[in-house]
Amino acid sequence: MTTGRPPRSPSPSSSPDPFQVKRSSVARLPPSTIATSYPSSGHEASVYAGNRSITPTSTPSLSVSSSTSSDDTVLDESDDHDLHTALTSEQISSTIRNEFGYCANQNYRCVSQHNPEKPVAEDEIEEPPYYILFTTYLSYLLVIVFGHLRDLIGKRFAKSSFTHLMPYDGYAPLNSDFDSFYTRRLKQRIDDCFSQPIASVAGRTILVYDRYSEDFNRTQIYTGTTTRALNVASYNYLGFAQSHGGCADAVEESIKRYGVSTCGTRLEGGTCDLHRIAEALVARFVGTEDALISSMGFATNSTVIPALVSKGCLIISDEHNHASIRTGARQSGAHVRMFKHNDMRSLEVLLREVISQGQPKTHRSWRKILVIVEGLYSMEGTMVNLPKIIELKRKYKFYLFVDEAHSIGALGPHGRGVTDYFNISPSSIDVLMGTFTKSFGAAGGYIAGAKPLIDSLRMRGYCGPYAEGGAPCVLTQIIASMASIMGVSSDLVLPTSTSTPISESSVNEVLMPSVADERPLPSKVPASALPAWLSLPPLLSDGSEAYERIRRLAFNSRYLHAGLKKLGFIIYGHPFSPIVPLLIFNPGKMPMFARMMRKLKPTPVAVVVVAYPATPLVTSRVRFCLSASHTKEDIDVVLRACDELGDLMDLKHGRGERWPIEEIVTRSVELVHSI
């Protein structure tokens, strides 16, 4: 069974179909213009480390970006200094420790990889007791009743406070009382739990401005003080969000060379040389022929999807796909159908239906069928069942689009996403999308795939001809962090048996090998493919530190996931997911949990709570976001805090065997390897 007849060849006046462009050999691209040499300013990572010899001889030391003293203190306030004065070695040491925790124990490592001998586990959704659901619905009912009652009374007796909801002086009201009810009566009351202003890098710890409200969060009053908290609320999976270290030094050097705007050194067509280097590096990293970089992750989906499909095409989307995917699908003009979240049976039933029925009314065959899924879902922490989708793709001949915004860098033994995790060739997927904000400490997004597809998107996708390019400092962060994950080799060798070195002029061609051969992903990037002025510390350059980061992230994810399970909480997500949602259900418990975590002594914890409309009405949750910068002791702090609050707030409704907190902390390694 197929999707129907192939699309008709476009007329001379129409744009070519990006999926149907005839595959050809990779065209020789013009060589990247590497920036000329510049006198070094001497900002090496070792300057920040000073003369601290703190790494045990039994453990390979991390570079300055992760090497800190062996002090067991989770938080350290000593980095509250004037940023305009020179930093002492002690202040630098404490700052680095706050940004990336030191962990020498190699037992606290794990490899993120699927066991091919076991089937892909289906998502298990635990239901709470009925009294929890009853009280949750009752809470919302009380909010609605008393909220509307206050609106009714207020409009009569306190008109000055409700002018935005009432006609005034011949003008219509600014807001509808019904449409704005949720924002005014529920979200506004817990606004102190959202959009917290910070005063530091969002690394292992975070510095939060203290504030309070005297009018139910209509306004916030700042006390002028800050609180340092353990940060489990930021997307910083590999810990590259740092102000010190090799990547930060590279960004600083790029600012000196290119400035801070998008108008750096340009080549023909208005493309910065760093932009072209970054695109070639991304293609090499994910294992595709070519890649296209956008300056904004949301815009990557919302502008590229309309260039892939149009009227007469069908988009089949997971019901929990991100808003950027939904926006792009609506703008495309294609027909959109959704299947149950990560349910492969639901997807196959839907495929059979749409293929057999064809387009509505006319029942003609679909021009294209595009299935869009995410590698890792940000609200549930669930992972796509990629092997099953690939099996369905071979059977039903649809095109596959995988959004790896949260999975790239965070999954797989080499940090290359779900294809790496399941050991599936990237050539099996037509379009790979990802962002640089989660694992790489940068900004923007990318689309990777076959070169004819990417060439077409450069012309037809709005993010190509109409959007601005990435700033040189952002592109440098992408290049430095991604190169450190891959490792840098001194010699450029062809991926063949001849091992013939190539000149710098053909770097771009080699960086985009044909995926038709399904060769293994290259282990390292040649030094000649990077900017000539870029110099990474040895432990970043050889990839050893990134390897440690990937394994630390895998251990932290599995440890928190398993620990919360053993404590008795209801949680969602895959054990290897760095996103761990803990279900709270009741809307009143949600702000209480966040506020109490923020007030914990001696170690406050910054968390993010999520509720409707980002989640279903009765599944409010706290969403822990883990990082390689966290230590095992940091996860212990989170588990102990959750254990205490879980008992206090009646949150432990999960099934299965329960362990006391001390047993979880003591048997952490055994627990991680048992799931």
Side-chain angles (χ1 to χ4, degrees):
M1 186 177 294
T2 64
T3 58
R5 64 185 181 186
R8 293 171 296 180
S9 58
S11 61
S13 60
S14 62
S15 301
D17 183 355
F19 282 115
Q20 298 297 331
V21 177
K22 183 179 180 181
R23 180 180 295 274
S24 60
S25 59
V26 181
R28 181 176 298 273
L29 298 177
S32 298
T33 302
I34 307 300
T36 57
S37 300
Y38 189 87
S40 173
S41 59
H43 287 277
E44 298 293 338
S46 57
V47 173
Y48 295 115
N51 295 322
R52 294 174 292 114
S53 56
I54 45 114
T55 306
T57 56
S58 60
T59 305
S61 63
L62 300 180
S63 74
V64 64
S65 55
S66 58
S67 296
T68 64
S69 69
S70 57
D71 188 358
D72 292 334
T73 304
V74 174
L75 302 184
D76 194 317
E77 296 288 350
S78 60
D79 62 336
D80 298 336
H81 46 260
D82 185 358
L83 296 180
H84 297 285
T85 61
L87 303 182
T88 65
S89 60
E90 291 79 9
Q91 289 173 325
I92 292 173
S93 175
S94 63
T95 300
I96 297 173
R97 178 167 62 250
N98 286 326
E99 294 179 359
F100 199 103
Y102 176 73
C103 178
N105 193 334
Q106 291 296 308
N107 290 325
Y108 302 148
R109 308 287 191 269
C110 190
V111 178
S112 171
Q113 190 170 20
H114 173 65
N115 185 353
E117 298 179 357
K118 296 181 179 180
V120 179
E122 295 186 2
D123 302 324
E124 181 182 0
I125 304 298
E126 290 189 61
E127 296 293 339
Y130 284 117
Y131 81 89
I132 294 294
L133 294 176
F134 174 77
T135 55
T136 300
Y137 281 115
L138 180 62
S139 298
Y140 281 109
L141 178 62
L142 293 175
V143 169
I144 293 172
V145 171
F146 283 99
H148 282 298
L149 185 61
R150 290 191 65 181
D151 285 351
L152 180 63
I153 297 175
K155 287 179 181 179
R156 291 179 176 270
F157 301 103
K159 294 183 179 181
S160 60
S161 300
F162 290 84
T163 54
H164 61 293
L165 300 177
M166 302 169 60
Y168 178 77
D169 196 22
Y171 292 96
L174 292 175
N175 303 104
S176 165
D177 56 352
F178 181 81
D179 292 340
S180 64
F181 180 84
Y182 176 83
T183 303
R184 293 182 293 108
R185 293 302 181 192
L186 187 59
K187 180 184 178 298
Q188 181 179 278
R189 298 301 181 93
I190 60 176
D191 262 346
D192 60 304
C193 301
F194 308 123
S195 304
Q196 300 182 41
I198 63 175
S200 70
V201 171
R204 170 187 173 234
T205 67
I206 195 168
L207 205 59
V208 183
Y209 282 108
D210 296 327
R211 56 181 182 168
Y212 66 95
S213 177
E214 296 178 344
D215 53 4
F216 304 104
N217 283 333
R218 286 187 178 90
T219 59
Q220 297 285 343
I221 301 173
Y222 290 84
T223 65
T225 61
T226 58
T227 298
R228 181 164 291 282
L230 182 65
N231 180 24
V232 286
S234 300
Y235 296 141
N236 182 28
Y237 297 146
L238 292 181
F240 281 114
Q242 297 174 237
S243 60
H244 295 80
C247 292
D249 292 341
V251 171
E252 183 179 348
E253 180 65 21
S254 73
I255 293 175
K256 294 177 180 179
R257 292 171 174 272
Y258 296 91
V260 295
S261 69
T262 59
C263 301
T265 302
R266 300 276 176 170
L267 295 180
E268 65 281 357
T271 301
C272 178
D273 59 337
L274 292 178
H275 196 102
R276 180 162 297 178
I277 293 172
E279 288 185 336
L281 187 62
V282 168
R284 183 182 180 90
F285 183 78
V286 300
T288 59
E289 291 180 356
D290 202 356
L292 168 66
I293 289 180
S294 171
S295 60
M296 182 178 177
F298 191 99
T300 305
N301 278 332
S302 58
T303 61
V304 164
I305 293 177
L308 294 173
V309 291
S310 57
K311 187 176 181 181
C313 301
L314 173 67
I315 294 176
I316 299 180
S317 176
D318 189 289
E319 64 178 351
H320 286 171
N321 275 345
H322 191 260
S324 61
I325 296 176
R326 295 169 179 258
T327 301
R330 285 194 293 266
Q331 292 176 344
S332 69
H335 195 73
V336 181
R337 297 288 299 272
M338 291 193 293
F339 63 96
K340 293 181 180 179
H341 173 57
N342 222 12
D343 189 330
M344 298 299 103
R345 287 186 291 271
S346 172
L347 173 59
E348 184 166 17
V349 169
L350 180 57
L351 283 167
R352 287 177 176 271
E353 175 190 342
V354 297
I355 292 174
S356 62
Q357 296 298 320
Q359 300 184 39
K361 298 181 180 179
T362 64
H363 298 290
R364 293 179 178 175
S365 299
W366 298 101
R367 293 177 54 204
K368 285 194 292 283
I369 295 180
L370 178 65
V371 175
I372 305 180
V373 294
E374 294 187 39
L376 198 63
Y377 292 86
S378 60
M379 289 298 168
E380 288 72 28
T382 49
M383 190 187 304
V384 65
N385 188 346
L386 189 60
K388 182 62 178 179
I389 289 187
I390 295 298
E391 179 184 332
L392 294 176
K393 182 178 184 293
R394 295 193 182 102
K395 183 177 181 181
Y396 294 102
K397 313 302 180 186
F398 55 79
Y399 297 103
L400 180 58
F401 184 113
V402 178
D403 181 336
E404 289 209 87
H406 290 268
S407 56
I408 192 69
L411 295 178
H414 309 97
R416 306 196 187 186
V418 289
T419 57
D420 190 21
Y421 177 83
F422 288 109
N423 195 25
I424 291 177
S425 171
S427 63
S428 303
I429 301 172
D430 299 289
V431 186
L432 281 166
M433 179 270 177
T435 62
F436 304 114
T437 54
K438 280 73 177 179
S439 295
F440 305 101
Y446 69 84
I447 290 289
K451 189 178 187 305
L453 170 69
I454 301 303
D455 286 343
S456 177
L457 292 179
R458 293 185 197 278
M459 301 299 298
R460 300 182 61 193
Y462 294 123
C463 67
Y466 299 115
E468 76 283 354
C473 56
V474 175
L475 295 171
T476 301
Q477 174 68 20
I478 295 170
I479 294 170
S481 58
M482 194 169 287
S484 68
I485 297 174
M486 302 174 69
V488 181
S489 63
S490 57
D491 296 325
L492 184 58
V493 179
L494 279 169
T496 63
S497 59
T498 59
S499 299
T500 304
I502 353 178
S503 63
E504 184 177 322
S505 62
S506 57
V507 165
N508 279 334
E509 183 175 352
V510 177
L511 285 180
M512 296 179 291
S514 174
V515 295
D517 300 333
E518 299 192 4
R519 290 172 288 194
L521 290 174
S523 58
K524 291 189 175 183
V525 60
S528 55
L530 302 176
W533 52 264
L534 181 65
S535 177
L536 296 175
L539 292 175
L540 282 176
S541 181
D542 64 14
S544 58
E545 179 175 333
Y547 178 67
E548 289 290 302
R549 290 174 183 249
I550 293 170
R551 295 171 69 227
R552 281 182 61 168
L553 176 63
F555 178 88
N556 292 342
S557 303
R558 287 178 74 93
Y559 179 33
L560 183 60
H561 184 280
L564 291 175
K565 276 275 191 181
K566 289 299 184 183
L567 287 175
F569 292 98
I570 295 180
I571 62 174
Y572 289 168
H574 193 277
F576 275 119
S577 168
I579 304 167
V580 185
L582 185 154
L583 274 293
I584 295 180
F585 300 104
N586 196 294
K589 296 178 181 180
M590 183 174 56
M592 182 184 297
F593 188 96
R595 291 165 183 164
M596 294 183 71
M597 291 287 277
R598 200 166 58 215
K599 298 296 183 181
L600 284 176
K601 298 297 181 181
T603 306
V605 181
V607 300
V608 58
V609 289
V610 188
Y612 179 85
T615 66
L617 190 66
V618 297
T619 59
S620 300
R621 65 197 66 176
V622 55
R623 189 179 55 172
F624 298 108
C625 300
L626 297 178
S627 169
S629 63
H630 293 130
T631 64
K632 191 263 184 185
E633 289 73 22
D634 295 339
I635 311 300
D636 292 342
V637 169
V638 175
L639 289 173
R640 293 182 190 276
C642 290
D643 181 50
E644 180 180 351
L645 296 185
D647 291 331
L648 181 65
M649 300 170 60
D650 188 27
L651 298 177
K652 298 180 178 180
H653 306 294
R655 300 187 298 268
E657 179 187 5
R658 297 190 183 184
W659 290 7
I661 181 62
E662 295 304 328
E663 185 176 2
I664 293 174
V665 171
T666 304
R667 301 172 59 185
S668 59
V669 177
E670 175 188 345
L671 186 60
V672 164
H673 293 287
S674 66
I675 59 175

